[in-house]
Amino acid sequence: MGSNDNLDNLVRSGGLKLEPYDSKECAGLIRSAADRLKDAHNSTLSYASRFDLGYNAAHALALAAMRLMGYRSDRRYLVFQCLPHTIALDKVQVRLFGLCHERRNLAEYEGYMDIDEPLLKELLASTESLHRLVQKAVTA
């Protein structure tokens, strides 16, 4: 849909691939993110489940933002790092998603999950904000 010098540089370096926008794929990513985000607010679930749901909702939305621009990456972290260029997301929120990515990796690969309710609250609020931005971009 669009082009961006920073993203094009990542294509040249191999971090991103050009891939035509697919409206069905993006709709599926957004739908999946919305379902996960809704479930992440369910306080009867464990912290680990809620964090995982919130993180994966954020990732699906970040990937949708990238796909809207006609790019794809196999690197989860890079999808978050590109958000200022794909959807003009605030860099503070991008750093939050980066921290959540690190926490997710600790849980996924080392079995360590630090319960941090304020972080979860920020993750969910930032993911909701990202959801609104992606929805707006799809309808633009």
Side-chain angles (χ1 to χ4, degrees):
M1 281 188 138
S3 182
N4 178 290
D5 288 341
N6 292 305
L7 299 175
D8 291 337
N9 286 337
L10 285 167
V11 170
R12 284 190 285 282
S13 70
L16 296 181
K17 295 179 247 178
L18 287 172
E19 189 172 308
Y21 167 71
D22 180 333
S23 61
K24 288 182 182 178
E25 177 190 17
C26 284
L29 288 166
I30 294 166
R31 188 173 43 257
S32 170
D35 289 345
R36 290 175 182 193
L37 188 55
K38 178 183 173 194
D39 292 346
H41 284 285
N42 182 346
S43 61
T44 65
L45 296 176
S46 70
Y47 174 87
S49 292
R50 294 178 68 212
F51 184 88
D52 187 60
L53 287 163
Y55 169 83
N56 282 302
H59 182 264
L61 291 166
L63 181 57
M66 182 174 280
R67 297 295 297 119
L68 283 166
M69 296 287 292
Y71 299 92
R72 178 180 297 282
S73 178
D74 297 330
R75 302 177 193 165
R76 293 179 75 88
Y77 192 75
L78 192 55
V79 172
F80 290 120
Q81 286 183 320
C82 289
L83 281 167
H85 310 293
T86 58
I87 202 83
L89 190 70
D90 181 270
K91 290 183 181 187
V92 172
Q93 289 176 303
V94 173
R95 283 192 293 273
L96 172 72
F97 290 136
L99 173 62
C100 291
H101 176 77
E102 292 170 11
R103 297 278 179 96
R104 175 254 182 200
N105 282 351
L106 280 173
E108 190 77 17
Y109 302 116
E110 298 180 29
Y112 177 76
M113 174 62 75
D114 185 27
I115 295 176
D116 186 342
E117 290 290 343
L119 178 64
L120 177 59
K121 184 177 179 180
E122 287 182 57
L123 169 62
L124 298 181
S126 290
T127 304
E128 288 168 358
S129 174
L130 178 57
H131 186 235
R132 286 188 296 274
L133 287 172
V134 171
Q135 287 284 64
K136 184 176 178 181
V138 168
T139 59

Short mmCIF file of all heavy atoms in Angstrom, two decimals, residues 34-89:
data_model
loop_
_atom_site.label_atom_id
_atom_site.label_comp_id
_atom_site.label_asym_id
_atom_site.label_seq_id
_atom_site.Cartn_x
_atom_site.Cartn_y
_atom_site.Cartn_z
N ALA A 34 -8.22 -8.96 18.16
CA ALA A 34 -9.36 -8.47 18.94
C ALA A 34 -9.85 -9.54 19.91
O ALA A 34 -10.15 -9.24 21.07
CB ALA A 34 -10.50 -8.04 18.01
N ASP A 35 -9.93 -10.78 19.45
CA ASP A 35 -10.35 -11.88 20.32
C ASP A 35 -9.36 -12.07 21.48
O ASP A 35 -9.77 -12.24 22.64
CB ASP A 35 -10.46 -13.19 19.54
CG ASP A 35 -11.64 -13.22 18.59
OD1 ASP A 35 -12.54 -12.37 18.72
OD2 ASP A 35 -11.64 -14.11 17.70
N ARG A 36 -8.09 -12.05 21.16
CA ARG A 36 -7.06 -12.24 22.21
C ARG A 36 -7.07 -11.09 23.20
O ARG A 36 -6.91 -11.31 24.40
CB ARG A 36 -5.69 -12.39 21.56
CG ARG A 36 -5.53 -13.70 20.84
CD ARG A 36 -4.22 -13.78 20.11
NE ARG A 36 -4.15 -15.05 19.40
CZ ARG A 36 -3.05 -15.52 18.88
NH1 ARG A 36 -1.92 -14.84 18.96
NH2 ARG A 36 -3.05 -16.67 18.25
N LEU A 37 -7.22 -9.89 22.69
CA LEU A 37 -7.24 -8.72 23.57
C LEU A 37 -8.43 -8.78 24.51
O LEU A 37 -8.30 -8.50 25.71
CB LEU A 37 -7.26 -7.44 22.74
CG LEU A 37 -7.10 -6.13 23.48
CD1 LEU A 37 -5.85 -6.10 24.34
CD2 LEU A 37 -7.08 -4.98 22.48
N LYS A 38 -9.57 -9.17 23.99
CA LYS A 38 -10.76 -9.31 24.84
C LYS A 38 -10.51 -10.35 25.93
O LYS A 38 -10.79 -10.11 27.11
CB LYS A 38 -11.96 -9.74 23.98
CG LYS A 38 -13.22 -9.97 24.77
CD LYS A 38 -14.34 -10.45 23.87
CE LYS A 38 -15.55 -10.82 24.71
NZ LYS A 38 -16.53 -11.59 23.96
N ASP A 39 -9.96 -11.50 25.56
CA ASP A 39 -9.68 -12.56 26.53
C ASP A 39 -8.62 -12.14 27.54
O ASP A 39 -8.67 -12.55 28.70
CB ASP A 39 -9.25 -13.84 25.82
CG ASP A 39 -10.38 -14.48 25.03
OD1 ASP A 39 -11.56 -14.10 25.23
OD2 ASP A 39 -10.09 -15.36 24.19
N ALA A 40 -7.66 -11.31 27.12
CA ALA A 40 -6.59 -10.86 28.02
C ALA A 40 -7.14 -10.02 29.17
O ALA A 40 -6.52 -9.92 30.23
CB ALA A 40 -5.55 -10.07 27.24
N HIS A 41 -8.31 -9.43 28.98
CA HIS A 41 -8.94 -8.64 30.04
C HIS A 41 -9.70 -9.50 31.04
O HIS A 41 -10.19 -8.98 32.04
CB HIS A 41 -9.89 -7.61 29.43
CG HIS A 41 -9.19 -6.43 28.84
ND1 HIS A 41 -8.63 -5.43 29.59
CD2 HIS A 41 -8.94 -6.12 27.54
CE1 HIS A 41 -8.07 -4.55 28.81
NE2 HIS A 41 -8.24 -4.94 27.54
N ASN A 42 -9.77 -10.80 30.81
CA ASN A 42 -10.50 -11.71 31.70
C ASN A 42 -9.65 -11.98 32.95
O ASN A 42 -8.70 -12.75 32.92
CB ASN A 42 -10.80 -13.02 30.96
CG ASN A 42 -11.57 -14.00 31.79
OD1 ASN A 42 -11.70 -13.86 33.01
ND2 ASN A 42 -12.09 -15.03 31.14
N SER A 43 -10.02 -11.35 34.04
CA SER A 43 -9.22 -11.43 35.28
C SER A 43 -9.29 -12.80 35.94
O SER A 43 -8.54 -13.05 36.89
CB SER A 43 -9.66 -10.35 36.26
OG SER A 43 -11.02 -10.54 36.60
N THR A 44 -10.14 -13.70 35.47
CA THR A 44 -10.16 -15.05 36.04
C THR A 44 -9.04 -15.92 35.48
O THR A 44 -8.75 -16.97 36.03
CB THR A 44 -11.52 -15.75 35.80
OG1 THR A 44 -11.71 -15.95 34.41
CG2 THR A 44 -12.66 -14.95 36.40
N LEU A 45 -8.41 -15.46 34.39
CA LEU A 45 -7.28 -16.20 33.82
C LEU A 45 -6.01 -15.89 34.59
O LEU A 45 -5.90 -14.84 35.24
CB LEU A 45 -7.09 -15.82 32.35
CG LEU A 45 -8.23 -16.17 31.40
CD1 LEU A 45 -7.92 -15.64 30.00
CD2 LEU A 45 -8.48 -17.67 31.37
N SER A 46 -5.05 -16.76 34.49
CA SER A 46 -3.77 -16.53 35.16
C SER A 46 -3.05 -15.34 34.53
O SER A 46 -3.31 -14.98 33.37
CB SER A 46 -2.88 -17.77 35.03
OG SER A 46 -2.44 -17.94 33.69
N TYR A 47 -2.13 -14.78 35.28
CA TYR A 47 -1.32 -13.67 34.76
C TYR A 47 -0.60 -14.10 33.49
O TYR A 47 -0.59 -13.38 32.49
CB TYR A 47 -0.30 -13.20 35.82
CG TYR A 47 0.64 -12.17 35.26
CD1 TYR A 47 0.30 -10.82 35.29
CD2 TYR A 47 1.86 -12.54 34.69
CE1 TYR A 47 1.16 -9.87 34.76
CE2 TYR A 47 2.72 -11.59 34.16
CZ TYR A 47 2.36 -10.26 34.20
OH TYR A 47 3.20 -9.31 33.66
N ALA A 48 0.02 -15.28 33.51
CA ALA A 48 0.78 -15.76 32.35
C ALA A 48 -0.10 -15.86 31.11
O ALA A 48 0.31 -15.46 30.01
CB ALA A 48 1.43 -17.11 32.67
N SER A 49 -1.31 -16.36 31.27
CA SER A 49 -2.22 -16.47 30.13
C SER A 49 -2.62 -15.10 29.62
O SER A 49 -2.63 -14.85 28.41
CB SER A 49 -3.47 -17.26 30.52
OG SER A 49 -3.16 -18.60 30.76
N ARG A 50 -2.94 -14.20 30.52
CA ARG A 50 -3.35 -12.86 30.13
C ARG A 50 -2.21 -12.12 29.43
O ARG A 50 -2.42 -11.44 28.42
CB ARG A 50 -3.83 -12.08 31.35
CG ARG A 50 -5.11 -12.66 31.95
CD ARG A 50 -5.56 -11.92 33.19
NE ARG A 50 -5.99 -10.58 32.80
CZ ARG A 50 -5.88 -9.51 33.57
NH1 ARG A 50 -5.36 -9.60 34.77
NH2 ARG A 50 -6.30 -8.34 33.15
N PHE A 51 -1.00 -12.27 29.94
CA PHE A 51 0.15 -11.63 29.32
C PHE A 51 0.38 -12.19 27.92
O PHE A 51 0.59 -11.45 26.96
CB PHE A 51 1.41 -11.81 30.18
CG PHE A 51 2.61 -11.09 29.63
CD1 PHE A 51 2.84 -9.77 29.97
CD2 PHE A 51 3.48 -11.73 28.76
CE1 PHE A 51 3.94 -9.10 29.44
CE2 PHE A 51 4.57 -11.07 28.23
CZ PHE A 51 4.80 -9.74 28.58
N ASP A 52 0.33 -13.51 27.82
CA ASP A 52 0.53 -14.17 26.53
C ASP A 52 -0.52 -13.71 25.51
O ASP A 52 -0.19 -13.41 24.36
CB ASP A 52 0.48 -15.69 26.71
CG ASP A 52 0.86 -16.44 25.46
OD1 ASP A 52 1.99 -16.25 24.97
OD2 ASP A 52 0.01 -17.20 24.96
N LEU A 53 -1.77 -13.65 25.94
CA LEU A 53 -2.83 -13.20 25.05
C LEU A 53 -2.63 -11.74 24.62
O LEU A 53 -2.79 -11.40 23.45
CB LEU A 53 -4.19 -13.36 25.74
CG LEU A 53 -4.70 -14.78 25.87
CD1 LEU A 53 -5.82 -14.86 26.92
CD2 LEU A 53 -5.17 -15.32 24.52
N GLY A 54 -2.28 -10.89 25.56
CA GLY A 54 -2.04 -9.48 25.25
C GLY A 54 -0.86 -9.29 24.33
O GLY A 54 -0.92 -8.52 23.35
N TYR A 55 0.23 -9.98 24.61
CA TYR A 55 1.42 -9.89 23.78
C TYR A 55 1.13 -10.37 22.36
O TYR A 55 1.50 -9.71 21.38
CB TYR A 55 2.58 -10.71 24.38
CG TYR A 55 3.72 -10.85 23.41
CD1 TYR A 55 4.67 -9.85 23.29
CD2 TYR A 55 3.83 -11.97 22.60
CE1 TYR A 55 5.70 -9.95 22.37
CE2 TYR A 55 4.85 -12.09 21.68
CZ TYR A 55 5.79 -11.08 21.57
OH TYR A 55 6.80 -11.18 20.64
N ASN A 56 0.47 -11.51 22.23
CA ASN A 56 0.18 -12.04 20.90
C ASN A 56 -0.83 -11.19 20.14
O ASN A 56 -0.77 -11.12 18.91
CB ASN A 56 -0.25 -13.50 20.99
CG ASN A 56 0.96 -14.40 21.19
OD1 ASN A 56 1.87 -14.41 20.38
ND2 ASN A 56 0.97 -15.13 22.29
N ALA A 57 -1.73 -10.53 20.85
CA ALA A 57 -2.63 -9.57 20.20
C ALA A 57 -1.82 -8.41 19.64
O ALA A 57 -2.03 -7.99 18.49
CB ALA A 57 -3.68 -9.07 21.19
N ALA A 58 -0.88 -7.90 20.43
CA ALA A 58 -0.04 -6.79 19.98
C ALA A 58 0.78 -7.22 18.76
O ALA A 58 0.91 -6.46 17.79
CB ALA A 58 0.88 -6.33 21.11
N HIS A 59 1.33 -8.42 18.80
CA HIS A 59 2.13 -8.89 17.67
C HIS A 59 1.28 -9.03 16.41
O HIS A 59 1.70 -8.62 15.32
CB HIS A 59 2.81 -10.23 18.00
CG HIS A 59 3.68 -10.69 16.88
ND1 HIS A 59 3.23 -11.59 15.94
CD2 HIS A 59 4.94 -10.36 16.53
CE1 HIS A 59 4.18 -11.79 15.05
NE2 HIS A 59 5.23 -11.05 15.39
N ALA A 60 0.09 -9.57 16.53
CA ALA A 60 -0.79 -9.72 15.37
C ALA A 60 -1.12 -8.35 14.77
O ALA A 60 -1.13 -8.19 13.54
CB ALA A 60 -2.07 -10.46 15.76
N LEU A 61 -1.36 -7.36 15.61
CA LEU A 61 -1.67 -6.02 15.12
C LEU A 61 -0.45 -5.36 14.49
O LEU A 61 -0.56 -4.69 13.46
CB LEU A 61 -2.22 -5.16 16.25
CG LEU A 61 -3.60 -5.56 16.74
CD1 LEU A 61 -3.91 -4.89 18.08
CD2 LEU A 61 -4.67 -5.25 15.69
N ALA A 62 0.72 -5.56 15.08
CA ALA A 62 1.95 -5.01 14.51
C ALA A 62 2.24 -5.64 13.16
O ALA A 62 2.65 -4.96 12.21
CB ALA A 62 3.12 -5.21 15.48
N LEU A 63 2.00 -6.94 13.05
CA LEU A 63 2.19 -7.63 11.78
C LEU A 63 1.16 -7.12 10.75
O LEU A 63 1.50 -6.89 9.59
CB LEU A 63 2.09 -9.13 11.96
CG LEU A 63 2.29 -9.98 10.70
CD1 LEU A 63 3.64 -9.69 10.04
CD2 LEU A 63 2.17 -11.46 11.05
N ALA A 64 -0.08 -6.93 11.18
CA ALA A 64 -1.10 -6.39 10.27
C ALA A 64 -0.69 -5.01 9.76
O ALA A 64 -0.86 -4.71 8.57
CB ALA A 64 -2.46 -6.32 10.97
N ALA A 65 -0.15 -4.17 10.64
CA ALA A 65 0.31 -2.84 10.22
C ALA A 65 1.41 -2.96 9.18
O ALA A 65 1.43 -2.21 8.19
CB ALA A 65 0.79 -2.05 11.43
N MET A 66 2.31 -3.90 9.36
CA MET A 66 3.39 -4.12 8.41
C MET A 66 2.84 -4.64 7.08
O MET A 66 3.24 -4.20 6.01
CB MET A 66 4.41 -5.11 8.99
CG MET A 66 5.59 -5.36 8.08
SD MET A 66 6.84 -6.37 8.88
CE MET A 66 7.66 -5.12 9.88
N ARG A 67 1.91 -5.58 7.17
CA ARG A 67 1.31 -6.16 5.96
C ARG A 67 0.52 -5.12 5.17
O ARG A 67 0.49 -5.15 3.95
CB ARG A 67 0.43 -7.36 6.32
CG ARG A 67 1.20 -8.50 6.98
CD ARG A 67 2.22 -9.14 6.03
NE ARG A 67 1.48 -9.72 4.91
CZ ARG A 67 1.64 -9.33 3.63
NH1 ARG A 67 2.54 -8.42 3.30
NH2 ARG A 67 0.91 -9.88 2.68
N LEU A 68 -0.11 -4.18 5.88
CA LEU A 68 -0.84 -3.10 5.21
C LEU A 68 0.09 -2.27 4.32
O LEU A 68 -0.34 -1.74 3.30
CB LEU A 68 -1.51 -2.18 6.23
CG LEU A 68 -2.78 -2.69 6.87
CD1 LEU A 68 -3.14 -1.85 8.09
CD2 LEU A 68 -3.93 -2.68 5.85
N MET A 69 1.34 -2.18 4.71
CA MET A 69 2.33 -1.42 3.96
C MET A 69 2.98 -2.24 2.84
O MET A 69 3.76 -1.70 2.07
CB MET A 69 3.42 -0.91 4.92
CG MET A 69 2.94 0.07 5.96
SD MET A 69 2.58 1.69 5.28
CE MET A 69 4.21 2.23 4.83
N GLY A 70 2.70 -3.55 2.80
CA GLY A 70 3.27 -4.38 1.75
C GLY A 70 4.60 -5.01 2.12
O GLY A 70 5.41 -5.34 1.24
N TYR A 71 4.84 -5.20 3.42
CA TYR A 71 6.08 -5.82 3.90
C TYR A 71 5.74 -7.00 4.80
O TYR A 71 4.64 -7.11 5.32
CB TYR A 71 6.91 -4.82 4.71
CG TYR A 71 7.33 -3.59 3.94
CD1 TYR A 71 6.54 -2.44 3.94
CD2 TYR A 71 8.53 -3.57 3.22
CE1 TYR A 71 6.93 -1.31 3.24
CE2 TYR A 71 8.92 -2.44 2.53
CZ TYR A 71 8.11 -1.31 2.54
OH TYR A 71 8.50 -0.19 1.85
N ARG A 72 6.74 -7.85 4.99
CA ARG A 72 6.62 -8.98 5.92
C ARG A 72 7.99 -9.20 6.57
O ARG A 72 9.01 -8.98 5.95
CB ARG A 72 6.19 -10.26 5.19
CG ARG A 72 6.11 -11.47 6.14
CD ARG A 72 5.68 -12.74 5.45
NE ARG A 72 4.36 -12.70 4.90
CZ ARG A 72 3.22 -12.81 5.58
NH1 ARG A 72 3.25 -12.94 6.90
NH2 ARG A 72 2.06 -12.79 4.97
N SER A 73 7.97 -9.67 7.82
CA SER A 73 9.19 -10.06 8.51
C SER A 73 8.94 -11.34 9.29
O SER A 73 7.86 -11.54 9.84
CB SER A 73 9.64 -8.97 9.49
OG SER A 73 10.81 -9.38 10.17
N ASP A 74 9.95 -12.18 9.31
CA ASP A 74 9.89 -13.40 10.11
C ASP A 74 10.41 -13.16 11.52
O ASP A 74 10.38 -14.06 12.35
CB ASP A 74 10.71 -14.51 9.44
CG ASP A 74 10.17 -14.90 8.09
OD1 ASP A 74 8.94 -14.80 7.89
OD2 ASP A 74 10.97 -15.30 7.23
N ARG A 75 10.90 -11.97 11.78
CA ARG A 75 11.47 -11.63 13.08
C ARG A 75 10.44 -10.89 13.91
O ARG A 75 10.07 -9.76 13.61
CB ARG A 75 12.72 -10.77 12.91
CG ARG A 75 13.78 -11.45 12.08
CD ARG A 75 14.95 -10.55 11.87
NE ARG A 75 15.82 -11.09 10.84
CZ ARG A 75 16.77 -10.39 10.24
NH1 ARG A 75 16.96 -9.12 10.58
NH2 ARG A 75 17.51 -10.94 9.32
N ARG A 76 10.00 -11.54 14.99
CA ARG A 76 8.94 -10.97 15.81
C ARG A 76 9.30 -9.59 16.35
O ARG A 76 8.49 -8.68 16.33
CB ARG A 76 8.61 -11.91 16.99
CG ARG A 76 7.98 -13.22 16.56
CD ARG A 76 7.71 -14.11 17.74
NE ARG A 76 6.57 -13.67 18.52
CZ ARG A 76 5.30 -14.02 18.29
NH1 ARG A 76 5.01 -14.81 17.29
NH2 ARG A 76 4.35 -13.58 19.06
N TYR A 77 10.53 -9.44 16.81
CA TYR A 77 10.94 -8.18 17.41
C TYR A 77 10.95 -7.06 16.38
O TYR A 77 10.56 -5.93 16.67
CB TYR A 77 12.33 -8.34 18.04
CG TYR A 77 12.72 -7.19 18.92
CD1 TYR A 77 12.18 -7.03 20.18
CD2 TYR A 77 13.63 -6.24 18.48
CE1 TYR A 77 12.53 -5.97 21.00
CE2 TYR A 77 13.99 -5.17 19.28
CZ TYR A 77 13.44 -5.04 20.54
OH TYR A 77 13.78 -3.99 21.33
N LEU A 78 11.35 -7.37 15.16
CA LEU A 78 11.43 -6.36 14.11
C LEU A 78 10.04 -5.82 13.75
O LEU A 78 9.89 -4.65 13.42
CB LEU A 78 12.11 -6.95 12.87
CG LEU A 78 12.54 -5.98 11.80
CD1 LEU A 78 13.44 -4.89 12.36
CD2 LEU A 78 13.26 -6.73 10.69
N VAL A 79 9.03 -6.67 13.85
CA VAL A 79 7.66 -6.22 13.58
C VAL A 79 7.28 -5.09 14.54
O VAL A 79 6.66 -4.10 14.14
CB VAL A 79 6.68 -7.42 13.70
CG1 VAL A 79 5.24 -6.97 13.61
CG2 VAL A 79 6.99 -8.45 12.62
N PHE A 80 7.70 -5.21 15.80
CA PHE A 80 7.44 -4.14 16.77
C PHE A 80 8.31 -2.91 16.49
O PHE A 80 7.83 -1.79 16.56
CB PHE A 80 7.69 -4.63 18.20
CG PHE A 80 6.68 -5.63 18.68
CD1 PHE A 80 7.08 -6.90 19.06
CD2 PHE A 80 5.34 -5.31 18.77
CE1 PHE A 80 6.16 -7.83 19.52
CE2 PHE A 80 4.40 -6.23 19.23
CZ PHE A 80 4.82 -7.49 19.61
N GLN A 81 9.58 -3.13 16.19
CA GLN A 81 10.50 -2.01 15.95
C GLN A 81 10.07 -1.15 14.76
O GLN A 81 10.38 0.03 14.72
CB GLN A 81 11.92 -2.51 15.72
CG GLN A 81 12.61 -2.98 16.97
CD GLN A 81 14.05 -3.39 16.68
OE1 GLN A 81 14.34 -4.01 15.66
NE2 GLN A 81 14.94 -3.05 17.59
N CYS A 82 9.37 -1.74 13.82
CA CYS A 82 8.95 -1.01 12.62
C CYS A 82 7.68 -0.20 12.82
O CYS A 82 7.30 0.57 11.92
CB CYS A 82 8.77 -1.99 11.46
SG CYS A 82 10.33 -2.66 10.84
N LEU A 83 7.03 -0.34 13.95
CA LEU A 83 5.75 0.35 14.17
C LEU A 83 5.78 1.87 13.95
O LEU A 83 4.81 2.42 13.42
CB LEU A 83 5.18 0.02 15.55
CG LEU A 83 4.51 -1.34 15.64
CD1 LEU A 83 4.25 -1.71 17.10
CD2 LEU A 83 3.21 -1.37 14.84
N PRO A 84 6.85 2.58 14.29
CA PRO A 84 6.84 4.02 13.99
C PRO A 84 6.76 4.30 12.48
O PRO A 84 6.29 5.36 12.07
CB PRO A 84 8.17 4.52 14.56
CG PRO A 84 8.52 3.53 15.61
CD PRO A 84 8.02 2.21 15.10
N HIS A 85 7.19 3.34 11.66
CA HIS A 85 7.20 3.52 10.21
C HIS A 85 5.98 2.91 9.53
O HIS A 85 5.62 3.32 8.44
CB HIS A 85 8.47 2.92 9.63
CG HIS A 85 9.70 3.38 10.32
ND1 HIS A 85 10.14 4.69 10.29
CD2 HIS A 85 10.57 2.72 11.13
CE1 HIS A 85 11.24 4.82 11.03
NE2 HIS A 85 11.51 3.64 11.55
N THR A 86 5.36 1.93 10.17
CA THR A 86 4.21 1.28 9.54
C THR A 86 2.89 1.91 9.95
O THR A 86 1.96 1.96 9.15
CB THR A 86 4.17 -0.23 9.86
OG1 THR A 86 4.12 -0.43 11.28
CG2 THR A 86 5.37 -0.96 9.27
N ILE A 87 2.80 2.40 11.18
CA ILE A 87 1.52 2.92 11.68
C ILE A 87 1.70 4.21 12.48
O ILE A 87 0.76 4.70 13.08
CB ILE A 87 0.77 1.83 12.49
CG1 ILE A 87 -0.73 2.09 12.58
CG2 ILE A 87 1.37 1.65 13.86
CD1 ILE A 87 -1.48 1.61 11.40
N ALA A 88 2.92 4.75 12.49
CA ALA A 88 3.24 5.99 13.20
C ALA A 88 2.93 5.88 14.70
O ALA A 88 2.43 6.81 15.32
CB ALA A 88 2.53 7.18 12.57
N LEU A 89 3.27 4.73 15.28
CA LEU A 89 3.05 4.53 16.71
C LEU A 89 4.12 5.25 17.51
O LEU A 89 5.29 5.30 17.11
CB LEU A 89 3.07 3.03 17.04
CG LEU A 89 2.60 2.67 18.45
CD1 LEU A 89 1.10 2.89 18.60
CD2 LEU A 89 2.93 1.23 18.77
#
